[in-house]
Amino acid sequence: MIRIQDILDKVAAYQSPEDVELVRKAYVFAAAAHAGQTRLSGEPYLSHPIAVAYTLADMRMDGASVAAGLLHDTVEDTKATIEDIDESFGEDVADIVDGVTKISMLAFDSKEAQQAENIRKMILAMNEDMRVLFVKLADRLHNMRTLQYMKPEKQHRIAQETMDIYAPLANRLGLHRVKLELEDLSFRYIAPEAYNLVADWIERHRADDEEYIKSVISILENILAKNEIKAQIKGRIKHIYSIYRKMNSLNVSLDEMHDIIAFRAIVGDLKDCYAALGLVHATWTPVPGRFKDYISMPKANMYQSLHTTVIGPRGERMEVQIRSEEMDRLAEHGLASHWLYKEGGRVKAKDVEQFNWLREMLDWTKVESDSKEFLRSLRFDLFKDEIYVFTPRGAVKELPEDASPVDFAYQIHTEVGDRCAGSKINGKLMPLSTPLKSGDTVEIITAPHRHPSRDWLKFVKTAKARTRIQHFIRTAERARSISLGKEMLEKQGRRLGVNIQKAMKDGSLLQAAQELRFSTVDDLVSTVGYARITPRKVLNLLLPKVEEEEAPPAYTPAETKPTRADSVVISGMGDMLVRFAKCCNPVPGDSIIGYISRGRGVAVHTANCPTISQMEPERLISVYWEGGGKEEPFPARIHILCLNKRGMLSKIAGVLDSGGVNIASGSFRALVDGRSEIEMIIEVADIAQLLLSLDRLRKVENVLEVSRMTSSSAGDAH
């Protein structure tokens, strides 16, 4: 167990005696506040803030940050108040604790609007003081290390949240070690079968790999020493999630994987970095296209290093990283800690050029009001690997990997993106969808009457571009829906003897809109244009009183009784054709959402179906299952990975049959590593029967992985 003295010793090594005393005082306060509290593990609750503070001290954060790590849960979980913290420890510590407390409600099982608002709070807090995020990351790291004491459903939710938000943020701050550990810990709970498969494979090969690492370190030390270059050489097996992700991207088995061992040479200064690189390339053959110079062109988080891949002593690919001691310190302790040394306290993102990405994120969070799209864009933007491209005048622009000229245009200015008509890459006219590469020089051709296209959403890679394009499309869609709605109302009005133009002028249409809980006439008319309300329901309010009394009740978003179509209830709609999307095959019990198709009724998708992100948000509607469901079974697509053993298909079919599940169709293929992939469409009554079937299949001997499948094709959705 970590002791407070361990933290104080670390802080004393790089901070003033006043900072050490501040941390000691925070420990005494936290110990008194959390007295008698325990964690799910049975340990005293104080063990958690101590672990958080130790991580912050290990990052070499300032005294205020370490003290805030000790105090970060006192306001939320004890009788202490922010005023108490301010009075005892000062404004700096109180502001950090307050910032962490405000974002502590961030949770992926909350309502999307609330979740989006909480993340916005976190981004705002980061913009004011980066130390808030460092404390939150240290807090999340220890929670992930002790996640085994949580219930399974909470484990998966917290792990997914960590993988989606916190690991990428750690990467953006240059906290490479924290990012890798968060990814591995998350992966363990998100995909336990895959995690164990990779972990077991690493363990089986560990002895050989460690022997290989020793031999290569010895070779590198001798080469550099002979050339009078002082260096510290490290070697390691890459992390579990990194190996799994590379295996998937290359579509190979674990036994076919190369380049899973990395070496690092830490040398004295800049000239030694390039000298060492020359010696490595002279000793082993470099792999073409696998050299990256992050020294001459640092990453956005100020990371600097030379990365090269060579054919090593075993005839396999081997990665070697070369950096100076100063570069290694920055890579280990992150970006904000670098500025803490310079500024001696609070670091505001708006004051530091290297935090441009955070300011841009803050800008588009203000523009994007749709919660789903905001969360999708956030994940999308955080996960990117960077490339660096040039303007015609030589200015460098950072973009995500495979970004397009349209992304580049919006990076220059919103107006340039909106008017983008073509692009030149390295002097040649190229399509706007062309993926950019590091080193490209890009010139944007604009036209005054050009506007963003929906097709651009298929290839843009930045949240800024996506948000601006969707904002334009939504505005244009609304204008079209208002025009169509007026046309529909006028056409139906002529049949019923209602003059819509007159109703708009005399205010009766506005009165009808307000009765239907709409703020403006345009809101009402656009809803008619989107086919979310029928023209007759509006016109009924404009007819003479005798007809109005015979008319059906008016549409009220919050009060309309839902109508039933098959086993799905659609709120606020008349009877409509309902069908189930084949891309995700929703079954009773799934969280679902409806999409109003053009002329084909409502397509019902699972709420997490990948195709939802490609749809027009205005056409998405709330739907839910009616009790009882349909009598006929629902199809569900499943994927099984197993060892290629005799009788496996029979065992799998037997398990499904014993659970009353029919196999509608299936296919299988043998892999080169002795495994087989099986894909089946099975018929189940509801989500409970599906999950029970998946659980039973996982227990079959020689079955490695079982999952429900969704298709990336959205062909059935429109």
Side-chain angles (χ1 to χ4, degrees):
M1 184 176 172
I2 301 167
R3 299 173 301 120
I4 184 58
Q5 194 58 46
D6 298 327
I7 299 171
L8 296 174
D9 290 344
K10 273 188 174 290
V11 174
Y14 65 92
Q15 289 282 287
S16 68
E18 290 78 14
D19 285 300
V20 175
E21 187 54 37
L22 180 71
V23 173
R24 190 192 308 276
K25 185 179 175 184
Y27 168 74
V28 173
F29 187 99
H34 290 295
Q37 295 180 345
T38 57
R39 303 195 84 211
L40 290 176
S41 62
E43 292 179 297
Y45 192 88
L46 189 63
S47 64
H48 171 63
I50 284 179
V52 171
Y54 184 85
T55 297
L56 292 164
D58 199 38
M59 293 177 184
R60 298 176 71 84
M61 296 297 291
D62 66 337
S65 301
V66 180
L70 286 163
L71 301 165
H72 77 277
D73 276 338
T74 53
V75 173
E76 187 179 358
D77 295 335
T78 76
K79 294 179 180 179
T81 65
I82 283 294
E83 289 72 23
D84 295 334
I85 304 294
D86 194 350
E87 184 180 340
S88 299
F89 301 97
E91 184 182 353
D92 246 16
V93 176
D95 284 350
I96 299 172
V97 173
D98 190 37
V100 174
T101 303
K102 283 178 179 176
I103 60 176
S104 63
M105 295 302 292
L106 180 66
F108 269 50
D109 63 350
S110 63
K111 294 179 181 178
E112 280 180 321
Q114 183 62 45
Q115 180 188 345
E117 187 56 35
N118 284 333
I119 296 176
R120 282 191 174 97
K121 285 180 185 176
M122 181 166 71
I123 293 170
L124 283 168
M126 289 158 57
N127 196 49
E128 284 302 309
D129 192 339
M130 296 299 297
R131 293 176 296 180
V132 171
L133 181 57
F134 274 71
V135 175
K136 191 64 186 173
L137 283 169
D139 173 46
R140 178 51 58 104
L141 181 61
H142 186 248
N143 282 335
M144 289 301 298
R145 287 172 176 169
T146 55
L147 198 59
Q148 69 268 30
Y149 300 106
M150 291 279 190
K151 293 179 180 178
E153 60 270 19
K154 264 198 168 184
Q155 289 175 346
H156 189 278
R157 173 181 62 77
I158 293 170
Q160 191 65 61
E161 172 184 290
T162 302
M163 185 72 89
D164 285 348
I165 303 295
Y166 289 99
L169 280 173
N171 183 53
R172 283 301 190 91
L173 293 173
L175 297 171
H176 192 59
R177 282 190 303 173
V178 174
K179 173 240 185 190
L180 290 173
E181 187 175 356
L182 286 175
E183 285 181 340
D184 274 2
L185 289 167
S186 301
F187 183 44
R188 179 179 179 181
Y189 294 99
I190 293 170
E193 296 90 349
Y195 176 92
N196 290 329
L197 183 71
V198 179
D200 291 345
W201 185 87
I202 290 173
E203 199 55 43
R204 289 199 304 272
H205 295 79
R206 185 174 297 280
D208 286 344
D209 288 340
E210 287 179 350
E211 192 62 37
Y212 175 66
I213 289 170
K214 287 179 184 176
S215 68
V216 173
I217 288 176
S218 178
I219 294 170
L220 280 169
E221 285 175 340
N222 289 333
I223 293 168
L224 297 175
K226 283 180 183 178
N227 290 271
E228 299 181 348
I229 296 176
K230 292 182 180 179
Q232 179 187 1
I233 311 296
K234 298 177 182 179
R236 63 172 177 84
I237 301 167
K238 290 186 177 179
H239 285 248
I240 293 172
Y241 182 67
S242 300
I243 293 172
Y244 175 79
R245 193 167 59 176
K246 179 169 280 192
M247 181 180 75
N248 272 1
S249 67
L250 298 175
N251 196 26
V252 296
S253 68
L254 281 166
D255 290 328
E256 295 173 302
M257 282 284 292
H258 302 299
D259 191 17
I260 65 166
I261 296 176
F263 295 89
R264 182 179 303 154
I266 302 168
V267 298
D269 54 27
L270 181 64
K271 65 179 177 58
D272 285 345
C273 290
Y274 288 98
L277 176 70
L279 292 169
V280 169
H281 282 179
T283 306
W284 296 298
T285 305
V287 177
R290 293 299 302 274
F291 169 64
K292 294 179 180 177
D293 186 347
Y294 293 119
I295 292 179
S296 61
M297 198 172 289
K299 290 189 175 186
N301 58 21
M302 293 177 64
Y303 174 86
Q304 289 184 290
S305 185
L306 299 175
H307 289 199
T308 187
T309 301
V310 297
I311 305 299
R314 292 199 301 202
E316 296 177 352
R317 292 185 175 195
M318 177 179 82
E319 183 182 350
V320 181
Q321 301 173 1
I322 304 167
R323 62 182 69 153
S324 70
E325 291 175 0
E326 174 63 18
M327 295 170 193
D328 190 61
R329 186 191 68 76
L330 181 61
E332 290 295 303
H333 301 306
L335 180 56
S337 61
H338 168 83
W339 285 99
L340 285 171
Y341 284 109
K342 290 190 172 185
E343 306 298 327
R346 182 180 305 228
V347 179
K348 293 189 177 184
K350 61 186 178 183
D351 299 329
V352 184
E353 184 182 346
Q354 284 77 11
F355 293 141
N356 267 332
W357 59 272
L358 179 55
R359 290 198 294 278
E360 286 179 8
M361 195 181 293
L362 191 65
D363 287 342
W364 62 254
T365 59
K366 294 174 182 176
V367 174
E368 184 54 72
S369 58
D370 181 76
S371 298
K372 286 182 183 176
E373 186 55 37
F374 167 74
L375 294 173
R376 180 187 182 282
S377 295
L378 179 71
R379 298 183 190 113
F380 194 86
D381 213 41
L382 285 176
F383 267 115
K384 65 186 183 182
D385 289 326
E386 305 90 354
I387 60 170
Y388 300 90
V389 297
F390 297 92
T391 68
R393 294 185 178 181
V396 179
K397 296 293 178 182
E398 179 202 341
L399 290 168
E401 196 172 25
D402 293 328
S404 68
V406 175
D407 293 296
F408 177 84
Y410 277 104
Q411 191 81 346
I412 299 297
H413 195 277
T414 300
E415 191 70 21
V416 176
D418 286 345
R419 304 295 179 217
C420 181
S423 65
K424 286 184 180 180
I425 302 174
N426 303 323
K428 293 182 180 180
L429 278 170
M430 299 293 286
L432 289 175
S433 58
T434 305
L436 299 175
K437 301 186 294 295
S438 272
D440 284 343
T441 298
V442 185
E443 180 182 352
I444 299 299
I445 302 165
T446 60
H449 303 297
R450 186 64 188 261
H451 299 293
S453 165
R454 185 180 294 279
D455 289 338
W456 292 359
L457 293 172
K458 296 175 183 176
F459 54 78
V460 294
K461 299 295 181 186
T462 57
K464 182 176 182 179
R466 178 172 292 275
T467 302
R468 295 293 181 179
I469 294 164
Q470 289 182 326
H471 177 71
F472 176 85
I473 290 170
R474 278 200 291 268
T475 303
E477 285 276 341
R478 177 174 168 81
R480 283 197 294 271
S481 69
I482 290 173
S483 176
L484 179 59
K486 283 180 181 177
E487 185 181 328
M488 293 166 68
L489 285 168
E490 287 172 355
K491 186 176 180 180
Q492 186 82 350
R494 283 194 292 271
R495 294 177 185 170
L496 299 174
V498 177
N499 188 325
I500 290 298
Q501 293 298 331
K502 182 183 177 184
M504 293 179 74
K505 288 178 181 178
D506 65 19
S508 55
L509 188 57
L510 175 59
Q511 186 179 346
Q514 290 170 345
E515 282 188 50
L516 296 175
R517 307 285 180 85
F518 291 100
S519 302
T520 66
V521 168
D522 279 352
D523 288 344
L524 170 63
V525 174
S526 69
T527 305
V528 173
Y530 280 127
R532 291 177 177 164
I533 179 173
T534 64
R536 181 64 193 247
K537 286 184 178 178
V538 178
L539 294 168
N540 281 334
L541 296 176
L542 303 175
L543 289 170
K545 199 70 177 176
V546 63
E547 283 197 52
E548 185 181 295
E549 290 171 358
E550 297 172 1
Y555 169 73
T556 306
E559 298 175 0
T560 300
K561 290 185 178 179
T563 58
R564 182 172 61 85
D566 293 326
S567 55
V568 170
V569 176
I570 307 172
S571 297
M573 303 289 288
D575 288 337
M576 291 192 71
L577 171 67
V578 172
R579 57 198 175 80
F580 297 94
K582 293 179 181 176
C583 52
C584 54
N585 291 316
V587 300
D590 277 331
S591 294
I592 54 176
I593 193 167
Y595 182 77
I596 303 174
S597 306
R598 292 181 175 88
R600 299 182 63 196
V602 175
V604 178
H605 295 258
T606 58
N608 60 355
C609 177
T611 62
I612 295 294
S613 61
Q614 305 299 323
M615 297 176 184
E616 301 168 38
E618 297 85 355
R619 295 182 178 272
L620 295 172
I621 58 171
S622 296
V623 297
Y624 54 93
W625 298 104
E626 184 200 37
K630 297 174 88 173
E631 292 183 3
E632 63 267 27
F634 289 78
R637 187 182 289 115
I638 65 171
H639 173 268
I640 301 169
L641 183 67
C642 63
L643 297 181
N644 193 349
K645 299 282 188 181
R646 183 177 177 181
M648 284 304 299
L649 207 54
S650 175
K651 288 180 183 178
I652 290 167
V655 168
L656 291 172
D657 183 57
S658 67
V661 175
N662 180 52
I663 301 173
S665 63
S667 63
F668 66 92
R669 67 186 182 101
L671 305 177
V672 293
D673 60 357
R675 299 179 300 166
S676 287
E677 277 190 327
I678 302 172
E679 293 182 9
M680 290 180 172
I681 294 180
I682 60 175
E683 296 179 333
V684 296
D686 53 31
I687 189 66
Q689 188 179 25
L690 173 60
L691 294 177
L692 183 60
S693 300
L694 296 181
D695 190 49
R696 287 173 172 168
L697 288 172
R698 291 187 183 104
K699 295 175 182 176
V700 174
E701 186 180 3
N702 295 322
V703 168
L704 304 175
E705 189 177 325
V706 181
S707 60
R708 182 180 180 183
M709 295 178 64
T710 58
S711 169
S712 59
S713 168
D716 187 62
H718 302 284

